[in-house]
């Protein structure tokens, strides 16, 4: 199989995975099953046909509207599908093999968690646990960081944010961090190792600053009481670090 075919395959698989992730992101917070029941329109609840479920193509073909009622389809579907495709393509570009597939899984899980945190301020423990376990399992491929580094990263990631949140609560007598944020940083540490954690937080801070500036640009008030999705910021910064880490190891750069 030609080397260039791997990122292409990753991008195509990412489109399919992205369609499923979009369903999770929409249905799960509403308490609906993501494993049973056929896809349907959010407006008229008409069951969608196969032609309506082709990633990107169906959205463009229908001009972003339901073919039955004409209701507008959320652009979230398109954004998630494109993002998942990009993740799959990049992961298998820097590592055209099993390591790249694991990296794509890392990115797809981060994408789901980032979207859920951004929209609902919710980081499901189930997904975070899968992220952590898969990160430790990825050490069996022989890629850096090694298992011990990842375990320390998991402990350090969770412990550092937990202590920061605890200290803030003691000083200000209110919550400053969501309960899922320390768990997510710990799970990221299980992938990138302890030494990458400061870079994850630096990247998260820069992403957060950009988000605040964007909100202010659109006239939204941002105060000390504003709830910002730290988990989303960490997720957005973590995957590029994996790309750099892996590309350096494979001598791509």
């Amino acid at each position: 199989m030609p080397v260039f075919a791997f990122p292409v395959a990753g991008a195509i698989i990412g489109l399919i995975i992205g369609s499923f992730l979009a369903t999770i992101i929409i249905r799960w917070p509403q308490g609906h099953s993501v494993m049973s029941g056929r896809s349907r329109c959010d407006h008229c609840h008409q069951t969608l046909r196969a032609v309506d479920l082709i990633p990107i193509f169906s959205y463009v073909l229908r001009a972003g509207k339901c073919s039955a009622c004409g209701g507008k389809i959320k652009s979230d579907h398109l954004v998630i599908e494109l993002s998942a495709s990009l993740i799959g393509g990049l992961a298998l570009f820097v590592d055209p093999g099993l390591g790249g597939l694991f990296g794509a899984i890392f990115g797809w899980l981060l994408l789901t968690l980032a979207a859920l945190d951004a929209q609902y301020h919710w980081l499901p423990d189930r997904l975070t646990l899968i992220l952590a376990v898969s990160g430790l399992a990825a050490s069996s491929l022989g890629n850096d960081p090694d298992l011990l580094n990842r375990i320390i990263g998991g402990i350090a990631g969770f412990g550092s944010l937990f202590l920061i949140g605890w200290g803030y609560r003691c000083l200000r007598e209110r919550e400053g961090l969501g309960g899922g944020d320390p768990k997510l940083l710990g799970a990221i540490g299980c992938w990138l190792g302890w030494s990458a954690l400061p870079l994850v937080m630096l990247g998260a801070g820069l992403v957060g600053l950009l988000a605040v500036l964007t909100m202010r640009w659109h006239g939204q008030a941002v105060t000390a009481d504003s709830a910002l999705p730290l988990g989303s910021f960490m997720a957005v910064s973590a995957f590029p670090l994996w790309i750099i880490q892996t590309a350096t190891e494979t001598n791509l750069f």
Side-chain angles (χ1 to χ4, degrees), residues 8 113 166 185 242-243:
V8 173
L113 287 161
W166 175 79
L185 186 59
W242 179 87
I243 291 289

Side-chain angles (χ1 to χ4, degrees), residues 111-226:
L111 174 63
T112 308
L113 287 161
L116 288 172
D117 195 32
Q119 295 186 44
Y120 305 102
H121 295 286
W122 181 42
L123 294 169
D125 287 346
R126 194 181 309 177
L127 282 186
T128 306
L129 178 60
I130 293 173
L131 185 68
V133 171
S134 60
L136 296 177
S139 67
S140 63
L141 301 176
N143 298 335
D144 289 333
D146 58 28
L147 179 59
L148 179 59
N149 197 322
R150 293 170 189 251
I151 292 174
I152 295 174
I155 296 172
F158 172 79
S160 59
L161 270 194
F162 177 83
L163 289 175
I164 290 173
W166 175 79
Y168 184 91
R169 186 168 59 250
C170 290
L171 289 173
R172 302 296 299 273
E173 296 184 348
R174 65 180 184 181
E175 296 293 336
L177 283 176
D181 293 328
K183 299 172 188 176
L184 178 57
L185 186 59
I188 291 172
C190 290
W191 272 94
L192 303 180
W194 65 269
S195 61
L197 293 178
L199 292 176
V200 173
M201 295 309 298
L202 175 61
L206 293 175
V207 174
L209 178 60
L210 180 60
V212 169
L213 291 175
T214 302
M215 292 168 66
R216 294 293 297 271
W217 178 266
H218 287 91
Q220 299 181 45
V222 181
T223 67
D225 296 326
S226 298

Side-chain angles (χ1 to χ4, degrees), residues 2-251:
V3 174
F4 70 83
F6 284 92
V8 173
I12 294 173
I13 294 172
L15 285 176
I16 299 170
I17 295 293
S19 181
F20 176 67
L21 296 182
T23 301
I24 290 177
I25 294 165
I26 292 173
R27 284 190 181 185
W28 198 0
Q30 297 175 354
H32 299 156
S33 172
V34 298
M35 301 302 295
S36 62
R38 296 183 61 184
S39 297
R40 58 186 181 274
C41 173
D42 296 330
H43 302 283
C44 65
H45 304 293
Q46 175 73 30
T47 300
L48 301 180
R49 300 170 298 172
V51 71
D52 297 318
L53 298 173
I54 303 173
I56 298 179
F57 175 79
S58 297
Y59 187 91
V60 175
L61 179 66
R62 304 300 187 192
K65 297 179 180 179
C66 172
S67 59
C69 69
K72 187 175 181 180
I73 300 172
K74 289 184 178 179
S75 60
D76 297 13
H77 287 274
L78 186 62
V79 172
I80 296 298
E81 288 171 358
L82 288 173
S83 299
S85 178
L86 180 62
I87 288 170
L90 286 174
L92 287 171
F93 173 73
V94 297
D95 188 352
L98 190 57
L101 182 58
F102 265 82
I105 292 172
F106 177 50
W108 292 330
L109 287 170
L110 287 175
L111 174 63
T112 308
L113 287 161
L116 288 172
D117 195 32
Q119 295 186 44
Y120 305 102
H121 295 286
W122 181 42
L123 294 169
D125 287 346
R126 194 181 309 177
L127 282 186
T128 306
L129 178 60
I130 293 173
L131 185 68
V133 171
S134 60
L136 296 177
S139 67
S140 63
L141 301 176
N143 298 335
D144 289 333
D146 58 28
L147 179 59
L148 179 59
N149 197 322
R150 293 170 189 251
I151 292 174
I152 295 174
I155 296 172
F158 172 79
S160 59
L161 270 194
F162 177 83
L163 289 175
I164 290 173
W166 175 79
Y168 184 91
R169 186 168 59 250
C170 290
L171 289 173
R172 302 296 299 273
E173 296 184 348
R174 65 180 184 181
E175 296 293 336
L177 283 176
D181 293 328
K183 299 172 188 176
L184 178 57
L185 186 59
I188 291 172
C190 290
W191 272 94
L192 303 180
W194 65 269
S195 61
L197 293 178
L199 292 176
V200 173
M201 295 309 298
L202 175 61
L206 293 175
V207 174
L209 178 60
L210 180 60
V212 169
L213 291 175
T214 302
M215 292 168 66
R216 294 293 297 271
W217 178 266
H218 287 91
Q220 299 181 45
V222 181
T223 67
D225 296 326
S226 298
L228 297 174
L230 176 60
S232 298
F233 304 154
M234 292 190 295
V236 169
S237 68
F239 184 69
L241 287 173
W242 179 87
I243 291 289
I244 295 172
Q245 193 179 72
T246 304
T248 302
E249 185 178 352
T250 58
N251 297 317

